[in-house]
Amino acid sequence: MAEIIYNTCLNYLVLALSFFMLLSDSSSSANAASVQYNVVSLGAKADGKTDSSKAFLSAWALACGSTSAATVYVPQGRFLVQSASFNGPCKNSAITVRIDSTLVAPSDYNMNGNVGNWIVLRQVTGVSVFGGNPGRAGHGPLGLQALRQELPYWHRTLTIIGFFRPFAREVGYLNLEISNSQNILVSGLSSLNSQMFHIVINACQNLKMQGVKVSASGTSPNTDGIHIGASTGVTILNSKIGTGDDCVSIGPGSNNLWIENVACGPGHGISIGSLGKDQQEDGVQNVTVKTVTFTGTQNGVRIKSWARPSNSFARNILFQHAIMNNVQNPMIIDQNYCPNSGCPNQASGVRVSDVTYQDIHGTSATEVAVKFDCSSEYPCTGIKMQDVKLSYRNQVATASCAHAGGTASGIEQPSSCL
């Protein structure tokens, strides 16, 4: 496992990515043939104080420039790394990153030139990151360590440009961004109390994350656990996410996503959207969210869009086998989404269709457990509810629908309002 922590004594933010290798005869032979670049051999200092950024970037440059399979290895220790971008394209598509140590980032956001993110993988193909040897800080090999931010979140704002549409955000690091990449595997990454989004996946194809752990205060704003945007073929498995915003958020242009065996809480649930911020905007389609558990979250499974004209859409969505534990809005479609002032107060142009809710059960923290607030101009169509059983204070909860059409079958608790 791997994480990113904040050490108040050293006034540093810490990233730890420690790795395990999945052993087999074939992988062993592949690893034996792989050339290895040790960051210590290239000048990195495992004291947590000396800037080792150049050594890390040098190791990456050698691995990326190799015409054969290559491994970047970070041995046990504590390494200070400034904001770093590991860029491609590379000359091979079989790079393994093994980190058995702790990476430490400066706690002062301005020291990294207000870049908005810390670690970036950009334009790479066939990179695998493995984690393992879990331990505790100061007690041997580190695992389950992550970025921890204990400073106030609300002091200043900036405009983040690029993957995000420009909009005001609190100052802080985005822990890890993977952008414009394909055939990526990340196993065992954890992030604790990130200043901003924990993990961002942008414009990627065929990316798999497993064993991810995200932890932050339920009151920390804009700390989405995993955000997926403009990406195809993303899989998230066997992960635990608790934060102050969406556990998983899915932005425009994302399709063919598979999210399974994820525990969410605290947080704002697993959300598609927000969509419809722009009039010309790609939609979201072919998303499966299954075998998920929500505990004490603001929402369970959610689709959200702005109430303004847009050509965006959300379609072919499956929410299956979900457990709700005291969730405020277990099932919600909100096409009048507006978290702050200055709401557009128009009819949403986002088309929501073919959304299936199957085997959703548990408890709601509010009487209205099912709320479908759809667009008056483009009503939701093809909504299917099958075997939904939600209670509120030991009584059957209620449902509320506006401009929503579809069918219900099997267990209907609450009674369908479609």
Side-chain angles (χ1 to χ4, degrees):
M1 299 291 295
E3 283 188 1
I4 314 170
I5 64 173
Y6 177 81
N7 187 321
T8 55
C9 296
L10 296 177
N11 195 30
Y12 288 122
L13 302 176
V14 176
L15 169 66
L17 295 170
S18 47
F19 292 83
F20 68 90
M21 301 303 295
L22 302 177
L23 299 179
S24 67
D25 291 340
S26 59
S27 64
S28 295
S29 59
N31 290 335
S34 173
V35 80
Q36 180 171 286
Y37 301 101
N38 189 318
V39 295
V40 171
S41 300
L42 294 168
K45 302 296 183 182
D47 58 8
K49 299 178 182 179
T50 304
D51 185 7
S52 296
S53 303
K54 289 184 179 179
F56 276 75
L57 292 172
S58 295
W60 173 260
L62 290 168
C64 186
S66 172
T67 56
S68 60
T71 297
V72 175
Y73 179 60
V74 186
Q76 294 182 22
R78 192 177 179 90
F79 298 89
L80 173 63
V81 178
Q82 302 281 352
S83 178
S85 293
F86 301 96
N87 300 324
C90 297
K91 292 184 178 180
N92 76 86
S93 56
I95 297 177
T96 298
V97 181
R98 295 180 54 214
I99 305 178
D100 293 329
S101 63
T102 300
L103 307 189
V104 184
S107 59
D108 184 353
Y109 173 80
N110 296 308
M111 288 182 66
N112 276 351
N114 299 343
V115 294
N117 49 39
W118 181 16
I119 304 297
V120 180
L121 282 174
R122 182 183 291 117
Q123 291 186 321
V124 297
T125 299
V127 173
S128 298
V129 180
F130 296 96
N133 289 329
R136 294 181 298 155
H139 295 79
L142 295 180
L144 297 178
Q145 307 302 317
L147 182 65
R148 183 170 180 175
Q149 171 55 269
E150 295 179 348
L151 301 176
Y153 290 89
W154 50 83
H155 281 185
R156 295 182 295 168
T157 61
L158 78 149
T159 298
I160 297 177
I161 303 174
F163 164 66
F164 303 101
R165 253 183 38 82
F167 57 103
R169 287 293 227 189
E170 288 80 0
V171 163
Y173 286 110
L174 184 160
N175 278 8
L176 172 65
E177 178 179 348
I178 305 173
S179 66
N180 300 99
S181 299
Q182 60 186 347
N183 303 334
I184 306 297
L185 171 63
V186 178
S187 180
L189 168 67
S190 298
S191 181
L192 174 63
N193 289 344
S194 173
Q195 294 175 330
M196 296 294 292
F197 284 26
H198 290 256
I199 302 165
V200 166
I201 300 166
N202 175 46
C204 291
Q205 295 181 333
N206 190 25
L207 183 148
K208 181 178 181 180
M209 303 198 80
Q210 60 188 20
V212 171
K213 184 178 180 181
V214 170
S215 181
S217 167
T219 59
S220 57
N222 304 316
T223 55
D224 291 32
I226 301 174
H227 182 84
I228 305 167
S231 296
T232 300
V234 175
T235 300
I236 300 172
L237 301 175
N238 308 325
S239 298
K240 184 176 181 180
I241 303 172
T243 187
D245 215 296
D246 292 327
C247 291
V248 179
S249 55
I250 300 169
S254 299
N255 60 84
N256 299 332
L257 311 181
W258 190 279
I259 301 168
E260 183 176 3
N261 194 24
V262 171
C264 171
H268 293 183
I270 294 177
S271 298
I272 295 174
S274 58
L275 302 177
K277 186 74 172 178
D278 295 320
Q279 186 163 358
Q280 299 296 320
E281 182 182 277
D282 292 333
V284 173
Q285 62 184 338
N286 303 331
V287 178
T288 295
V289 178
K290 64 179 298 185
T291 317
V292 289
T293 302
F294 302 89
T295 302
T297 53
Q298 182 187 89
N299 308 288
V301 289
R302 172 168 66 159
I303 299 173
K304 54 181 176 177
S305 72
W306 292 84
R308 57 161 55 107
S310 177
N311 68 340
S312 190
F313 58 84
R315 64 191 180 211
N316 297 331
I317 314 296
L318 172 62
F319 298 117
Q320 183 183 59
H321 308 319
I323 299 173
M324 307 290 173
N325 297 315
N326 198 36
V327 175
Q328 293 180 38
N329 302 293
M331 296 166 51
I332 179 170
I333 298 175
D334 180 6
Q335 294 207 256
N336 290 286
Y337 174 73
C338 183
N340 300 305
S341 59
C343 300
N345 296 321
Q346 303 176 63
S348 176
V350 176
R351 281 74 161 175
V352 177
S353 63
D354 300 320
V355 182
T356 298
Y357 301 87
Q358 186 179 74
D359 183 27
I360 315 292
H361 62 276
T363 58
S364 174
T366 60
E367 185 176 357
V368 180
V370 177
K371 184 177 181 180
F372 297 148
D373 184 14
C374 298
S375 170
S376 59
E377 185 171 351
Y378 300 98
C380 299
T381 61
I383 307 298
K384 297 179 182 178
M385 295 173 56
Q386 180 181 358
D387 294 327
V388 173
K389 186 177 182 181
L390 296 167
S391 64
Y392 168 66
R393 295 184 177 178
N394 297 318
Q395 303 292 324
V396 175
T398 63
S400 172
C401 293
H403 315 293
T407 61
S409 62
I411 300 172
E412 293 185 41
Q413 297 181 9
S415 297
S416 172
C417 59
L418 294 170

